[in-house]
Amino acid sequence: MKKVHNFTAGPCVLPQQAIDAAIEALKDFKGTGVPVVSISHRTKEWEDVMNECRALWKELLGIPEGYEVVFLGGGASLQFLYVAMNFLENKAAYLDTGVWAHKALKEAKGLGNAYAIASSEDKNYSYIPKGFEIPADLDYLHITTNNTIYGTEIKEDLDCPVPLIADMSSDILSRKVDVSKYTLIYAGAQKNAGPAGVAVAIIKKDALGKVTRYLPTMLDYRVHIDKESMFNTPPVFSIFLMNETLKWLKGIGGVEAIHEINVRKAETLYAEIDRNSLFQGTAAKEDRSIMNICFVPAPGKEDLKDAFLAFAKERGMVGIKGHRSVGGFRASLYNACTQEDVDALVECMKEFEALNA
Ligand SMILES: *Cc1c(COP(=O)(O)O)cnc(C)c1O
């Protein structure tokens, strides 16, 4: 197989150990003689996977008592609706930090009174708004901790006077989180926790049941908590692979260990972006994401964009084209992306500079 360095924004690179386990399980799931995709989800063997996966989430993130972990289909985008359905009664505020935050707000507006409390749209979402007042009468404040498209990140857990809800799709498991500061954390798995097809929600149980609207069965978090994410057939293969990804993460030392690695990877690449005369970063320095690194050609070098993409592709770099709303380049340095991958990209940028400066 061709050796590549995968910087794709999502679905993302996954640890080889997890991929290999999935290949084995497709042949024979735990010695049952049945592929993991054909086993009944009501078997003991499958329930063990569900239990292990839930326990790993709790262990890796240090999830306190009173919180439940559920696995749901529909991606993070369906969580936008779950949030509003389960928590919006009178008024909710959203921090508008990009396309995903905007889409989350849209779902809430469709159900009730929701608004953007602050926005960085004026500078194409290149920074995180700060210093805004949070009214005490909100049902919740919704934030997007990592803005995948723009490469900005809220790197600390906010002290929030109202229930805090966070879309952590693209930075969950990249760092330690004080879960007790959140009423709800959710994430589509395919950015850092596994393959597409499953979303995880970490829910403070006693915050549920406070809305008066009718909750459709499938959109009621309480149903999924009661049924341990098996109210209906769960996305078994996605959960299997997520579980293997979590096992790998635990094996290398958990979120604290990976955070150190992630910071070093990001610093390596940002240092090169700042040094290299052909490139510049797009996100405000203090808000730079350690997961998604966005950069563009330096002023006057715009015509080198396609040449660099081709040059990098030649050298095995995959998925570094920037999102169309920012342009330029984006390298996503999710957990399974290694320091060696980043070093290879930096080397490639240096070589390109030597040929084109
Ligand atoms: C990718 C992404 C989403 C959407 O995820 P889906 O699982 O495709 O619905 C939402 N929020 C953030 C921050 C993302 O990066």
Side-chain angles (χ1 to χ4, degrees):
M1 209 167 78
K2 197 162 126 190
K3 171 79 184 136
V4 298
H5 303 285
N6 190 348
F7 301 100
T8 307
C12 70
V13 57
L14 291 174
Q16 193 56 43
Q17 179 185 317
I19 299 288
D20 290 342
I23 292 169
E24 280 312 307
L26 275 175
K27 295 183 193 155
D28 178 6
F29 175 57
K30 291 189 172 181
T32 56
V34 178
V36 61
V37 287
S38 306
I39 195 95
S40 162
H41 59 293
R42 302 293 173 197
T43 54
K44 162 95 171 58
E45 286 85 353
W46 178 255
E47 282 181 4
D48 287 348
V49 174
M50 295 293 282
N51 290 334
E52 182 177 31
C53 194
R54 238 186 324 267
L56 279 169
W57 273 103
K58 290 186 178 177
E59 181 183 344
L60 286 166
L61 283 182
I63 298 175
E65 286 292 307
Y67 285 77
E68 294 293 343
V69 180
V70 295
F71 309 125
L72 302 165
S77 298
L78 191 57
Q79 292 303 306
F80 299 161
L81 183 59
Y82 270 90
V83 167
M85 277 277 177
N86 286 270
F87 293 101
L88 177 57
E89 182 73 8
N90 297 311
K91 190 167 60 158
Y94 282 67
L95 187 60
D96 178 28
T97 51
V99 164
W100 297 119
H102 213 85
K103 288 186 173 171
L105 172 57
K106 176 171 179 279
E107 298 301 329
K109 279 184 172 167
L111 290 179
N113 184 4
Y115 70 104
I117 194 165
S119 173
S120 48
E121 194 181 4
D122 60 337
K123 290 187 181 160
N124 197 28
Y125 298 117
S126 58
Y127 68 101
I128 302 288
K130 295 170 195 81
F132 49 90
E133 289 280 321
I134 303 169
D137 62 345
L138 296 174
D139 295 328
Y140 61 86
L141 171 68
H142 179 283
I143 59 173
T144 311
T145 52
N146 188 67
N147 298 283
T148 324
I149 294 173
Y150 316 89
T152 64
E153 186 175 13
I154 300 171
K155 284 170 262 192
E156 264 144 42
D157 304 308
L158 301 185
D159 286 313
C160 186
V162 300
L164 183 61
I165 292 182
D167 174 0
M168 292 196 185
S169 291
S170 52
D171 65 349
I172 199 156
L173 299 176
S174 73
R175 67 167 174 96
K176 215 171 149 210
V177 170
D178 182 354
V179 175
S180 71
K181 289 194 170 173
Y182 299 85
T183 287
L184 170 71
I185 293 169
Y186 66 90
Q190 73 275 16
K191 305 283 168 48
N192 214 19
V198 61
V200 61
I202 301 162
I203 311 160
K204 190 175 188 179
K205 232 173 129 178
D206 70 8
L208 293 171
K210 304 214 166 129
V211 290
T212 50
R213 73 169 51 81
Y214 166 72
L215 286 176
T217 311
M218 274 297 284
L219 294 182
D220 187 340
Y221 279 131
R222 291 170 304 181
V223 170
H224 299 291
I225 290 172
D226 287 348
K227 299 290 179 191
E228 302 189 316
S229 305
M230 300 242 271
F231 169 74
N232 66 328
T233 318
V236 285
F237 190 60
S238 297
I239 292 172
F240 180 87
L241 201 30
M242 179 164 74
N243 187 44
E244 292 300 323
T245 305
L246 299 189
K247 279 158 74 174
W248 165 81
L249 182 55
K250 181 179 169 178
I252 64 162
V255 289
E256 282 175 33
I258 201 72
H259 182 247
E260 236 173 79
I261 295 169
N262 287 336
V263 167
R264 181 152 166 257
K265 288 183 307 192
E267 281 174 0
T268 305
L269 184 50
Y270 282 125
E272 177 59 16
I273 290 167
D274 292 342
R275 187 210 61 78
N276 194 308
S277 62
L278 300 183
F279 303 104
Q280 65 178 22
T282 56
K285 283 196 177 163
E286 70 275 17
D287 298 325
R288 281 175 160 180
S289 166
I290 60 166
M291 292 276 98
N292 309 98
I293 296 5
C294 297
F295 55 110
V296 293
K301 305 288 183 188
E302 290 82 1
D303 55 334
L304 288 176
K305 188 186 143 197
D306 290 340
F308 180 65
L309 286 174
F311 186 83
K313 189 174 173 203
E314 257 311 76
R315 280 151 189 79
M317 309 300 144
V318 172
I320 60 161
K321 190 164 190 253
H323 190 273
R324 62 191 176 281
S325 57
V326 177
F329 318 104
R330 170 176 55 177
S332 298
L333 314 185
Y334 297 124
N335 286 353
C337 165
T338 64
Q339 181 68 39
E340 291 68 47
D341 293 320
V342 177
D343 291 343
L345 177 56
V346 165
E347 198 47 46
C348 175
M349 291 164 75
K350 284 184 175 155
E351 277 178 43
F352 189 70
E353 184 190 34
L355 292 171
N356 292 282

